[in-house]
Amino acid sequence: MAEFLVKAIDATHRDLDKNIRGCYKRGDIVLAKPDGFLWGKQEGLPKFWIVKVPGLALRDAHGYAVSKTTRIGEVDRVDIRRLWFLDHTILPAPLFSALMTLGIITLTAIEVSVFVKSKV
Amino acid sequence: MPTTVTKTLKSAGGDYTSLSAWEAGEQGDLVLADEIRQAECYSFADTTAVTIDGSTTDATRYLRVFTPAAERHDGKWNTGKHRVSFQSEFGATNTLLLADLYTRIEGLQIENSIGQSTASGIAVDAIGVFISHCIIRKEPTWSLGGNGIFVRQNSSGTTKIWNTIIYDAPTFGIMVNRWTGAITRAHNITIQNSTIGFDSVASAAGVFVAKNCIAQDNATDGFAGTFDAASTDNCSDIASDAPGSNPETGEVTFVDEANDNFLLDSSDTVAKDKGADLSADANLAFSDDIIGTARPQGSAWDIGASEVVAAGGGGLLTHPGMSSMRPEMSGGMRG
């Protein structure tokens, strides 16, 4: 019921704080859209992967595309750009290969719980 | 001379389908690449909140988000044009958060639909930000929502906001935390129906300059706090409220206030032809209004975001697809 747009390459910044707080890293879940979403021309390799998660409700999928924040007064300060990431290094070989060559894979909801991890 | 890299934002057939994806895809070292990277936004509802952070930018190599002329609003909220309309369920507190230096936002419609009183349509966390020709409002079906624009950057540098309409923001239209060294310049802004229209918060010793601004129907105050002595030609419907020199007091007549059209009506006598000529302003110079109408149309500039078109005349300063503010060409932007 959902699809993830996942960053496929690291962005970096020489400011160490901004590098963590602002830059997307490889594997970061950028955003979630409904099943069958028509992605744009740039929303694929080499910049992004598409991860289809038909067994995951869109509302739940949105919960993976969030930052790690700390409330300071009335402001939510971003600590980490994205809290959840696809750990592509532990994908089974066929999925890993498809991700690297086609940029699109499908995961079950159970596989999401295994391969999508929190950074904290 | 930097190269301008333009990507299109469309619901289908474009480079990106949301500002959030564009920002994620275009992050990088723009200074090293010697590029201006811009998002050209087409007519659709972008329902994703956007944080612009993580890129290396400077005053001449920056990120710009804009609507081309054909995709831009006509001074009144237009559901047939591009708009960023975000309803928060998952922790975002701002529809747009600008944390990269010198980011430019031009011609957007932004709905603040977030269930937190501290939420903002645009939150500014970096120096050198320009915001112009925008309409910002609280999404009408939600009971909560926060500021229009919240300038909270705490470094030495300037934020510039001009030709923008903000309405129905329940808390503040524009709130500025005046940190030492931070300068905010608001020129020709119209704010209607907030609790406080323009709120200058004394966090430290920063500066908030307001010129040609209208504050109307704001529940508690139109202009609250301290404004710089350079402020001038502002208008409030509350007596002794408009800051600076040449204040105007009275109820401004908009084209259709009941239906959220806050362009200045030709019958107005409070703001029309009462503004200062800012075409050569040393810090924020421009010569048009929110929809590109050349200023002045009458005997003088109008106060507020819009300029009443002279009968039988008028004319747009803006050519289709071009920004009305071309600091690289005009040399009028300083500070």
Side-chain angles (χ1 to χ4, degrees):
Chain A
M1 297 170 65
E3 301 187 11
F4 288 138
L5 184 71
V6 180
K7 194 74 190 290
I9 52 176
D10 281 350
T12 60
H13 198 285
R14 65 176 73 97
D15 181 303
L16 296 179
D17 181 60
K18 197 170 176 75
N19 185 53
I20 297 172
R21 181 171 39 78
C23 292
Y24 283 102
K25 302 300 179 185
R26 195 179 198 198
D28 281 355
I29 310 293
V30 175
L31 50 84
K33 290 293 185 182
D35 269 354
F37 186 76
L38 291 175
W39 298 101
K41 300 172 192 174
Q42 296 287 320
E43 293 166 347
L45 291 175
K47 297 177 182 176
F48 297 101
W49 300 319
I50 302 297
V51 177
K52 297 176 182 283
V53 285
L56 190 65
L58 181 60
R59 181 186 176 90
D60 293 332
H62 281 310
Y64 287 98
V66 297
S67 303
K68 161 104 178 34
T69 60
T70 300
R71 174 59 66 99
I72 300 177
E74 295 186 336
V75 175
D76 283 335
R77 183 196 67 198
V78 174
D79 300 321
I80 305 173
R81 186 65 195 254
R82 277 300 184 262
L83 180 59
W84 298 91
F85 71 105
L86 172 69
D87 188 350
H88 64 285
T89 64
I90 62 172
L91 287 173
L95 282 176
F96 182 85
S97 177
L99 198 66
M100 295 299 117
T101 57
L102 301 175
I104 301 177
I105 60 172
T106 298
L107 297 180
T108 65
I110 292 176
E111 287 172 327
V112 169
S113 68
V114 173
F115 300 128
V116 177
K117 299 179 179 178
S118 171
K119 294 180 183 177
V120 299
Chain B
M1 187 78 174
T3 301
T4 299
V5 178
T6 302
K7 302 294 183 187
T8 57
L9 263 66
K10 298 182 178 181
S11 57
D15 293 310
Y16 292 96
T17 55
S18 68
L19 270 175
S20 182
W22 169 81
E23 193 270 342
E26 299 302 311
Q27 271 191 342
D29 190 338
L30 277 66
V31 175
L32 183 65
D34 197 25
E35 290 178 349
I36 296 169
R37 294 180 185 173
Q38 57 183 25
E40 187 175 81
C41 302
Y42 284 73
S43 299
F44 75 104
D46 187 343
T47 58
T48 310
V50 185
T51 295
I52 297 182
D53 194 5
S55 290
T56 304
T57 53
D58 65 15
T60 58
R61 281 77 59 99
Y62 50 82
L63 295 164
R64 176 177 179 239
V65 180
F66 77 105
T67 51
E71 311 299 325
R72 189 170 295 190
H73 61 79
D74 49 5
K76 180 181 184 299
W77 190 271
N78 190 330
T79 56
K81 301 295 184 182
H82 178 270
R83 57 217 180 273
V84 186
S85 181
F86 176 67
Q87 295 184 349
S88 173
E89 294 182 85
F90 295 102
T93 56
N94 307 287
T95 303
L96 263 70
L97 171 58
L98 308 180
D100 280 339
L101 310 180
Y102 303 99
T103 301
R104 301 187 180 189
I105 306 295
E106 180 184 333
L108 297 194
Q109 299 183 108
I110 299 165
E111 286 186 304
N112 177 355
S113 312
I114 300 166
Q116 296 187 35
S117 63
T118 56
S120 301
I122 302 178
V124 179
D125 277 355
I127 66 169
V129 168
F130 294 174
I131 300 167
S132 74
H133 303 82
C134 292
I135 299 175
I136 303 173
R137 72 173 191 177
K138 181 187 77 65
E139 203 278 343
T141 63
W142 274 52
S143 61
L144 295 177
N147 304 328
I149 300 174
F150 184 9
V151 181
R152 58 193 198 191
Q153 71 88 8
N154 58 3
S155 301
S156 292
T158 304
T159 302
K160 299 182 180 180
I161 310 166
W162 72 101
N163 283 343
T164 290
I165 293 173
I166 302 171
Y167 65 96
D168 293 347
T171 311
F172 308 103
I174 295 177
M175 182 165 76
V176 175
N177 278 348
R178 288 188 291 110
W179 298 104
T180 298
I183 302 170
T184 300
R185 302 187 185 279
H187 292 185
N188 287 91
I189 308 294
T190 299
I191 295 179
Q192 191 267 355
N193 195 30
S194 285
T195 299
I196 298 177
F198 298 82
D199 194 8
S200 178
V201 180
S203 301
V207 168
F208 190 177
V209 180
K211 296 185 179 180
N212 290 352
C213 293
I214 292 173
Q216 183 146 312
D217 300 328
N218 298 292
T220 298
D221 205 346
F223 297 87
T226 301
F227 291 80
D228 190 74
S231 298
T232 188
D233 295 85
N234 297 297
C235 177
S236 174
D237 55 354
I238 301 171
S240 305
D241 181 47
S245 55
N246 305 320
E248 296 290 337
T249 302
E251 191 80 10
V252 171
T253 302
F254 298 116
V255 169
D256 188 356
E257 186 169 334
N259 291 296
D260 296 337
N261 186 333
F262 299 106
L263 299 177
L264 198 62
D265 190 80
S266 59
S267 66
D268 179 74
T269 59
V270 177
K272 184 181 168 188
D273 297 335
K274 299 292 182 64
D277 185 341
L278 302 181
S279 61
D281 187 270
N283 298 291
L284 177 48
F286 53 97
S287 300
D288 70 337
D289 80 343
I290 189 172
I291 59 172
T293 302
R295 298 185 190 260
Q297 289 289 307
S299 59
W301 279 45
D302 297 342
I303 299 174
S306 75
E307 184 81 8
V308 174
V309 176
L316 301 181
L317 184 66
T318 305
H319 295 280
M322 291 177 62
S323 168
S324 64
M325 189 58 228
R326 303 296 294 274
E328 301 88 357
M329 296 172 64
S330 73
M333 297 287 288
R334 301 181 185 85

